[in-house]
Amino acid sequence: MTSAIPTLSQGFYWQDIAVGQKFRTFRRTITETDIVNFISATGMLETIFIDTTFSHGAIQGRPVPGALTYSLIEGFIMQGMVQGTGLALLEVHKKMLAPVVAGDTVWAEIEITGIRPTSKHNRAVVVSLIDVRNQHDQPVMTYTATRMLAGRPDNPEPGSSRSEH
């Protein structure tokens, strides 16, 4: 019976997380190819990203669009925290703290800061604080994300353990 086989990377149902709980993503080095592909796909053809002779002032190295850093971290969150359970991204508030350049390695720590079950049972609004850091453990971005997460199909009480399906 295939339903008894655990699904890899299954996200958390809202009942399986708690306010104050923390998670860490994997790390990802951002390459020149990542920058070129991202700016080409999005149309972010701003001089700072396409002209390597452009003077960046205080930034040493090839700048990475903040939207690319954010997208990579959200990809990690999608793959490990909300895959199959995320229903909607409702709100995001971002603040860039330091530049990211080609060759930097980024990762994030996620803290659950709020869980509010909705009036429509079996879902909740979950708020997370995401702190993004580079390979030197320097903060480069912080943001809050408000998401709608599904509840367990069998709808157990909050705080019950995560099942293997």
Side-chain angles (χ1 to χ4, degrees):
M1 180 174 204
T2 60
S3 64
I5 299 172
T7 302
L8 294 176
S9 299
Q10 172 69 36
F12 292 99
Y13 295 105
W14 70 265
Q15 295 98 333
D16 297 331
I17 55 178
V19 172
Q21 190 170 7
K22 293 183 179 182
F23 305 95
R24 182 177 298 152
T25 67
F26 282 102
R27 300 164 77 91
R28 171 75 153 70
T29 301
I30 303 175
T31 67
E32 175 75 19
T33 302
D34 294 326
I35 297 168
V36 170
N37 287 338
F38 185 81
I39 64 175
S40 296
T42 61
M44 288 189 177
L45 302 173
E46 187 176 347
T47 301
I48 194 171
F49 303 132
I50 64 171
D51 181 353
T52 59
T53 66
F54 181 76
S55 175
H56 308 113
I59 301 174
Q60 300 300 313
R62 179 150 162 90
V64 172
L68 172 54
T69 302
Y70 163 77
S71 296
L72 291 172
I73 297 301
E74 280 295 294
F76 280 138
I77 293 170
M78 289 294 147
Q79 294 168 31
M81 185 177 161
V82 298
Q83 183 70 271
T85 60
L87 301 174
L89 177 62
L90 303 173
E91 190 172 38
V92 175
H93 296 275
K94 288 184 285 198
K95 184 174 183 179
M96 308 312 182
L97 303 173
V100 174
V101 296
D104 279 354
T105 299
V106 295
W107 60 279
E109 185 175 277
I110 300 105
E111 180 179 0
I112 306 300
T113 59
I115 301 172
R116 185 177 47 85
T118 66
S119 59
K120 293 183 181 186
H121 301 291
N122 216 24
R123 57 180 67 175
V125 175
V126 176
V127 181
S128 302
L129 173 64
I130 297 98
D131 289 319
V132 183
R133 298 180 173 275
N134 66 16
Q135 69 274 15
H136 305 295
D137 204 30
Q138 175 189 19
V140 296
M141 177 187 301
T142 187
Y143 65 99
T144 58
T146 304
R147 304 174 202 276
M148 179 81 64
L149 291 186
R152 294 198 149 283
D154 54 342
N155 202 17
E157 290 301 310
S160 63
S161 64
R162 184 177 180 181
S163 77
E164 294 294 320
H165 68 279

